[in-house]
């Protein structure tokens, strides 16, 4: 035994052996909570994350906008990559509707739902938070730091026309 382990109490010595490994190391597990209810928590960004249990979030349509797909519902606002040539206050219509939902029955398009559209009003064009792009090569004195702010558009869904 080392001089340090001689000064430790026997229970501390056993825990140190289990943690750092040793001749008679024993793996200890954290207690498992059975039947625990999921609680909401605050994520890294600071927003409250709702629990994953419970009712699924409601949606009226799935649209293709700004290079991505979004679940949208009437009366809510959403952000997407910049829509070129639209000013705040402009009324726009999204014709690329992948699916709609009336009540509990969804209607899926192949690839789009015929006759369905989502009408919206552009609220603002803005630049998103800055993302730092840092490139380097180890041991080569190569460092490059760049910032990027993505142009974004925020729009309010005013009406969902279901086919």
């Amino acid at each position: 035994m080392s001089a340090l382990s001689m000064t430790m109490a026997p229970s501390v010595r056993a825990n140190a052996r289990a943690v750092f490994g040793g001749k008679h190391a024993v793996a200890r597990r954290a207690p498992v909570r059975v039947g625990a209810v999921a609680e909401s928590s605050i994520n890294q960004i600071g927003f409250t994350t709702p629990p994953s249990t419970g009712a699924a979030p409601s949606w009226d349509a799935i649209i293709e906008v700004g290079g991505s797909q979004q679940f949208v519902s009437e009366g809510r606002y959403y952000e997407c990559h910049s829509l070129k040539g639209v000013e705040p206050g402009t009324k726009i219509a999204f014709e690329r509707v992948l699916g709609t939902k009336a009540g509990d029955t969804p209607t899926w398009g192949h690839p789009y739902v015929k006759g369905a559209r989502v009408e919206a009003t552009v609220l603002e064009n803005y630049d998103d938070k800055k993302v730092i792009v840092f490139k380097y090569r180890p041991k080569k004195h190569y460092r490059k730091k760049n910032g990027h702010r993505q142009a974004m558009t925020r729009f309010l869904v005013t009406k969902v026309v279901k086919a």
Side-chain angles (χ1 to χ4, degrees):
M1 277 193 190
S2 67
L4 179 62
S5 64
M6 291 302 289
T7 60
M8 292 190 279
S11 62
V12 174
R13 204 177 310 138
N15 285 341
R17 229 184 287 126
V19 171
F20 300 114
K23 190 173 180 183
H24 304 288
V26 177
R28 296 184 185 212
R29 294 184 186 185
V32 177
R33 294 169 59 188
V34 179
V37 177
E39 297 177 11
S40 63
S41 63
I42 296 177
N43 63 15
Q44 295 172 344
I45 305 171
F47 293 109
T48 303
T49 305
S52 59
T53 59
S58 65
W59 55 274
D60 292 333
I62 304 171
I63 60 173
E64 197 174 281
V65 56
S68 63
Q69 299 172 3
Q70 287 191 340
F71 287 78
V72 296
S73 56
E74 246 178 69
R76 299 194 64 177
Y77 69 86
Y78 300 92
E79 291 91 16
C80 67
H81 290 286
S82 179
L83 301 173
K84 303 282 185 206
V86 293
E87 296 297 321
T90 307
K91 304 242 186 252
I92 54 176
F94 300 107
E95 303 289 333
R96 294 181 173 188
V97 179
L98 301 169
T100 60
K101 187 165 92 170
D104 288 337
T105 58
T107 304
W108 306 112
H110 301 286
Y112 304 115
V113 179
K114 289 187 171 129
R117 73 178 183 278
V118 173
E119 296 174 2
T121 305
V122 176
L123 298 177
E124 66 175 323
N125 294 319
Y126 66 99
D127 289 337
D128 207 4
K129 289 183 179 177
K130 182 172 275 195
V131 177
I132 302 298
V133 181
F134 185 73
K135 300 177 182 181
Y136 82 103
R137 305 236 183 243
K139 305 175 194 170
K140 301 297 179 194
H141 297 286
Y142 174 82
R143 308 274 189 269
K144 192 180 276 191
K145 182 179 177 183
N146 262 332
H148 174 73
R149 295 188 70 180
Q150 180 69 41
M152 302 289 282
T153 299
R154 180 172 289 137
F155 61 92
L156 172 72
V157 175
T158 55
K159 187 177 179 184
V160 176
V161 177
K162 300 170 184 169

